Amino acid sequence: MLHDASGRRAAGLLARSRRDLWVAAAVIGWIGLVLLLDAVRLPGSPGPGEHGSLWAAGPAEIGRQVALGVTTWGVLALLLRRETPLVRTQTLLVVALATCVEYTFSPLLEAYVYRIGTVPFFVPPGHGLVYLAALTLGRSALFEAYRRPLVAATVVVGGAWAAHGLVAERPDALGAFWFCCLLGFLAWGRSRMLYVGAFVVVSYLELVGTALGTWAWAAADPVLGVVSQGNPPSGAAGGYGWFDLYALLLAPWVLRVAGRRSALRRERGERLVVQ
């Protein structure tokens, strides 16, 4: 009887989580496909692990980057169609902030360097997809039902990874710092399961992207030159959590401002009609 009840509960959770899990799976699959397509060697293009210039690579590389960027924007737009205005706003805020961070820390400071020497066109919408996948995983009935073990697993796996980074042949102090940030989000964040989802998706993204040579992290931070960085940093999800927090806090304000402006425009239009 207990086994049957447990099976029915699991089936019910999966049924209620079907759409959220499908969105997360679609994002994870698309990220993997884009990174694999980006890693295919083209004539004149820098290969995986090499670093060159997009503009010197030739029309084939430029065409690939444009195609991957446009289709990734299309996937993001398609997945956002059935989301609420709040989620759409949060996602676009993440895209805006992440794009500024990308261009600051990659081509400018070179904390990490992309294969093509600049931020690929698929990266800005890719940040929106990562946020959406983390959100949908975190809000799913399945994740909510197993909140405690999932948080515990995130802490254990993330902590072991960060601890290994401190004693690895290539030290990773940045990863340990970011893992501490993740602990803070898990302890005091308003959307704890969002950060659990982010740990899953961001860790996957960083491991695949660096393994394929799409980007590589510098051995030390570019500002002080004393903070060691893994390739990738172990606690990358903790760093990404700041994007999530920014979106969660700012999106309601953006919607309120937009709503007031829309109401004012309607009011002015009604006055003109009356006059």
Side-chain angles (χ1 to χ4, degrees):
M1 292 294 292
L2 288 176
H3 180 73
D4 291 342
S6 178
R8 287 195 299 270
R9 180 171 183 265
L13 289 172
L14 284 172
R16 284 156 48 202
S17 305
R18 185 175 293 116
R19 182 180 177 276
D20 286 331
L21 296 179
W22 180 88
V23 170
V27 169
I28 289 172
W30 182 255
I31 288 172
L33 178 61
V34 167
L35 292 176
L36 284 171
L37 292 174
D38 181 77
V40 174
R41 187 69 179 265
L42 295 178
S45 297
E50 301 174 0
H51 299 105
S53 168
L54 170 62
W55 313 114
E61 183 64 71
I62 294 173
R64 170 166 63 181
Q65 295 302 320
V66 171
L68 292 177
V70 169
T71 51
T72 302
W73 274 113
V75 170
L76 178 61
L78 182 65
L79 293 179
L80 286 177
R81 284 182 62 186
R82 296 183 63 183
E83 296 295 336
T84 64
L86 179 61
V87 171
R88 292 175 193 162
T89 303
Q90 291 170 346
T91 304
L92 294 178
L93 285 171
V94 167
V95 171
L97 177 61
T99 301
C100 295
V101 170
E102 285 280 354
Y103 278 97
T104 299
F105 283 89
S106 184
L108 181 61
L109 296 177
E110 296 187 346
Y112 51 92
V113 180
Y114 285 99
R115 177 183 62 81
I116 59 173
T118 189
V119 180
F121 299 150
F122 60 81
V123 167
H127 278 289
L129 289 175
V130 169
Y131 176 79
L132 186 60
L135 178 70
T136 52
L137 281 177
R139 77 184 180 192
S140 68
L142 188 64
F143 268 50
E144 280 294 334
Y146 296 100
R147 171 185 291 259
R148 285 190 175 183
L150 286 172
V151 170
T154 299
V155 172
V156 170
V157 175
W161 189 4
H164 175 266
L166 291 175
V167 297
E169 183 177 350
R170 173 172 169 164
D172 182 21
L174 179 64
F177 169 74
W178 277 349
F179 175 68
C180 291
C181 293
L182 179 61
L183 291 178
F185 292 131
L186 291 174
W188 300 297
R190 292 188 302 174
S191 301
R192 181 178 298 179
M193 298 311 293
L194 168 64
Y195 301 113
V196 172
F199 178 76
V200 174
V201 182
V202 175
S203 298
Y204 161 79
L205 168 71
E206 285 288 346
L207 289 170
V208 174
T210 52
L212 291 175
T214 306
W215 64 86
W217 286 79
D221 77 281
V223 179
L224 300 175
V226 296
V227 180
S228 58
Q229 301 182 151
N231 186 41
S234 59
Y240 201 91
W242 293 104
F243 294 159
D244 301 339
L245 179 63
Y246 154 85
L248 291 171
L249 294 178
L250 191 58
W253 176 82
V254 171
L255 286 176
R256 284 196 300 270
V257 171
R260 291 193 195 107
R261 291 184 176 180
S262 178
L264 285 173
R265 284 195 295 269
R266 286 198 301 269
E267 184 179 343
R268 289 170 183 168
E270 290 170 358
R271 287 177 181 175
L272 288 174
V273 171
V274 170
Q275 290 175 356

